[in-house]
Amino acid sequence: MQPLLAIWNSTIFQKWVMAVTGIVLVGFLAGHLSGNLLIFLGPDHMNAYGVELRELLHGSVIWVTRIGLLLAFVLHVRAGIVLAARNRKSTGVSNSKVTNKTSTIASRTMVYSGLLILFYVIYHLAHFTWGLAHTEYYSYVDSLGRHDVYRMVVESFRNPVIVATYSLAMIVTGLHLNHAISSAFQTLGINNRRINGLIRSAGPIVGIALVLGFLSVPLSVVFGLVK
Amino acid sequence: MNLRLHIWRQTGPSDHGMLRAYNVNNVSEHMSFLEMLDVLNEELIEKGEEPVAFDHDCREGICGTCGMVINGRPHGPLSRTTACQLHMRSFKDGDEIYIEPWRATAFPIVRDLVVDRSAFDRVIQRGGFVSVNTGNAQDGNAIPISKIDADVSMDAAACIGCGACVAACPNSSASLFVAAKIGHLVALPQGKAEAATRAMSMVLSMDAEGFGSCTNHYECEAACPKGISADFIAQMNREFMKSVF
Ligand code: HEM
Ligand code: FES
């Protein structure tokens, strides 16, 4: 048996870490999106959801989720950066002519799209969760005395700079997911000739669907569908 | 046809190396790519210059010795074709052709287009075998093997170990090579006994040799002269995890 540390640091183990945590993060995005879409049901649903999320089982659910997500995120980022640095060292000098046949812009820029997502996530939390950025939108309270999430979102997306940053971040996320979802299946060894075609086409579709879902909120505010 | 070649010249491992341009004239379309280089080398020798060093052996696409990046593609523009089996009819008069070595930290350049691929041998030594008692060969059909398993094993065993997968990979990963060796042996009853130790030690040794990690670009599969499928990499990922637990 090999020492556990050697196994943990091996490229394939770290790829597994990245794939498992990546799938957890994709699952989180899906959950987050379903919450966001409540905005289309009006302020009452949205704000009630905000309270429920924070108070479910005396607030234990949200904390367990937060710690789990933080762990997944840290492990994912660490593995991503370590492997990308390793790959850079492995390649050495590049040829004067390089032609790629099957790799894509998305697949070759995963660590950069990832790092952009990382920066965006920190800013995004500062904005909507911690109330540290754009504090002017954070302090609204609705008629029932709840944190007015609905108004915070709508007012925020009336700010064109916020809409632009958010949209850009979503496009970058779409780029990441365009490669990531199908790639995770290959990494986890979920692969055979009958399902490969499906996995490789469904991955990008799921990624784009998530991103379009997220974009629907600011776009609806911009076009006055949500007021 | 007349061609202008840009060939990577490097006198030794510590030399920096650079592309140098050469003209070769009256190349027949029936020549193989390596024969065209032979013609160039004859001319260089006549002029008292150093011939271009390149690896080759069988020249019939089965040994895996030849290997060079031709216009940015390992083994050149044709799919499922080694450099020795590439013919000049794939080019036309006046073409400029860039010829460079496999690039990877784990494949240090020995000279010109020759790289040291002994990292592959060391990975094989760590598990690319089955342990059997020597002595008389046993009866041919003593171990029944299904046609499906035999075919899968043969698909993987088609790997000639040329290193085109490493050269094609943006990360210089040896995953396709290692996966083919693991996939070839694990499909057969003889290979199952050592499956776990093999997967573990070959993967750790491929890491130790300094190859990159797979990011599922599938460039290796597209460049492989034997058409080895990247499905074997997914299988290696499974076999590795099985060996952990
Ligand atoms: C919303 C957040 C994120 C999600 C949903 C996500 C999802 C994924 C998934 C599913 C994979 C595929 C794993 C595999 O190929 O086996 C992946 C790969 C990767 N992610 Fe993320 N990721 C996120 C954030 C990040 C961040 C912040 C980084 C920062 C460095 C990052 C860097 C990478 C890298 C380098 C890869 C590997 C690409 C490859 O091997 O081809 N990701 N991601
Ligand atoms: S020389 Fe043997 S495969 Fe090309």
Side-chain angles (χ1 to χ4, degrees):
Chain A
M1 206 53 223
Q2 300 284 342
L4 281 177
L5 195 66
I7 296 174
W8 165 259
N9 282 327
S10 67
T11 51
I12 296 187
F13 201 94
Q14 285 300 313
K15 279 289 311 203
W16 272 74
V17 168
M18 199 143 60
V20 171
T21 55
I23 293 290
V24 168
L25 294 174
V26 171
F28 163 72
L29 286 184
H32 189 330
L33 174 62
S34 60
N36 289 8
L37 294 178
L38 287 175
I39 201 160
F40 294 108
L41 298 180
D44 198 44
H45 280 93
M46 188 90 202
N47 295 349
Y49 167 73
V51 171
E52 210 174 289
L53 205 59
R54 282 170 194 242
E55 290 179 359
L56 206 61
L57 295 181
H58 308 286
S60 56
V61 171
I62 190 145
W63 276 105
V64 171
T65 313
R66 278 174 176 166
I67 291 167
L69 281 175
L70 182 68
L71 191 68
F73 208 73
V74 169
L75 287 175
H76 188 85
V77 171
R78 196 200 88 95
I81 293 175
V82 168
L83 290 183
R86 178 196 173 89
N87 292 345
R88 179 168 288 213
K89 249 182 38 203
S90 303
T91 46
V93 190
S94 62
N95 277 326
S96 63
K97 290 231 161 174
V98 180
T99 36
N100 297 300
K101 262 195 165 159
T102 51
S103 61
T104 60
I105 293 184
S107 73
R108 288 191 302 270
T109 56
M110 289 298 278
V111 74
Y112 305 111
S113 57
L115 285 172
L116 287 174
I117 295 173
L118 173 63
F119 294 136
Y120 181 74
V121 165
I122 294 168
Y123 156 76
H124 182 77
L125 287 170
H127 178 184
F128 288 109
T129 306
W130 303 327
L132 296 174
H134 311 293
T135 39
E136 66 272 31
Y137 308 122
Y138 195 74
S139 40
Y140 302 121
V141 176
D142 72 2
S143 55
L144 294 175
R146 297 175 297 199
H147 176 40
D148 198 342
V149 180
Y150 183 90
R151 199 159 161 217
M152 169 175 74
V153 171
V154 173
E155 296 291 339
S156 294
F157 285 143
R158 288 196 173 133
N159 179 336
V161 177
I162 292 179
V163 173
T165 328
Y166 185 91
S167 308
L168 209 67
M170 285 309 108
I171 291 168
V172 171
T173 308
L175 200 67
H176 198 76
L177 297 184
N178 188 55
H179 177 67
I181 297 176
S182 325
S183 175
F185 281 83
Q186 168 83 1
T187 303
L188 301 176
I190 304 168
N191 170 305
N192 70 51
R193 281 171 202 189
R194 259 165 296 158
I195 59 169
N196 282 349
L198 180 70
I199 289 173
R200 288 185 198 172
S201 48
I205 293 175
V206 172
I208 290 165
L210 280 172
V211 164
L212 289 180
F214 282 108
L215 281 174
S216 71
V217 177
L219 291 181
S220 302
V221 173
V222 167
F223 292 105
L225 300 170
V226 168
K227 294 186 184 117
Chain B
M1 68 182 88
N2 299 333
L3 300 167
R4 186 154 177 85
L5 308 178
H6 300 268
I7 304 178
W8 185 262
R9 301 306 308 262
Q10 184 170 336
T11 55
S14 53
D15 180 31
H16 271 306
M18 60 169 181
L19 281 173
R20 288 214 13 218
Y22 300 91
N23 292 320
V24 264
N25 299 329
N26 302 320
V27 172
S28 151
E29 59 173 18
H30 301 300
M31 284 179 182
S32 75
F33 199 82
L34 302 191
E35 284 164 344
M36 183 274 293
L37 288 179
D38 292 340
V39 169
L40 171 70
N41 277 345
E42 294 287 333
E43 288 172 9
L44 290 179
I45 290 167
E46 258 171 43
K47 280 193 271 183
E49 289 179 39
E50 271 299 309
V52 178
F54 61 92
D55 263 332
H56 60 101
D57 187 13
C58 71
R59 295 205 178 196
E60 54 184 12
I62 56 170
C63 75
T65 308
C66 64
M68 53 192 78
V69 175
I70 301 167
N71 285 340
R73 301 289 319 155
H75 291 298
L78 295 190
S79 69
R80 298 199 180 194
T81 307
T82 54
C84 60
Q85 289 291 293
L86 176 67
H87 286 81
M88 296 315 293
R89 54 181 167 271
S90 298
F91 299 89
K92 56 181 192 315
D93 188 38
D95 271 359
E96 300 221 11
I97 307 176
Y98 286 80
I99 310 170
E100 292 166 270
W102 285 175
R103 303 282 193 184
T105 313
F107 286 165
I109 292 178
V110 176
R111 187 186 184 96
D112 297 340
L113 304 174
V114 178
V115 299
D116 178 0
R117 283 170 288 188
S118 50
F120 270 10
D121 300 336
R122 290 188 291 272
V123 173
I124 292 289
Q125 283 161 6
R126 293 297 301 279
F129 52 80
V130 292
S131 305
V132 291
N133 291 325
T134 51
N136 281 348
Q138 62 172 298
D139 200 35
N141 288 324
I143 304 172
I145 300 171
S146 79
K147 170 82 172 130
I148 293 175
D149 290 343
D151 282 353
V152 167
S153 181
M154 265 314 292
D155 285 350
C159 169
I160 53 177
C162 63
C165 45
V166 177
C169 177
N171 313 318
S172 298
S173 168
S175 290
L176 193 61
F177 168 76
V178 180
K181 300 308 168 194
I182 290 174
H184 154 205
L185 295 174
V186 80
L188 302 174
Q190 295 94 321
K192 290 223 160 67
E194 291 160 303
T197 47
R198 175 183 307 115
M200 178 59 72
S201 47
M202 287 184 86
V203 166
L204 292 186
S205 123
M206 125 183 134
D207 287 353
E209 291 295 340
F211 293 106
S213 81
C214 178
T215 58
N216 306 330
H217 294 300
Y218 309 124
E219 293 287 356
C220 51
E221 183 183 76
C224 177
K226 297 296 154 184
I228 311 278
S229 163
D231 291 2
F232 286 112
I233 298 179
Q235 185 193 28
M236 171 171 71
N237 294 341
R238 283 197 305 273
E239 290 296 327
F240 177 78
M241 229 17 163
K242 272 198 257 167
S243 77
V244 174
F245 293 105

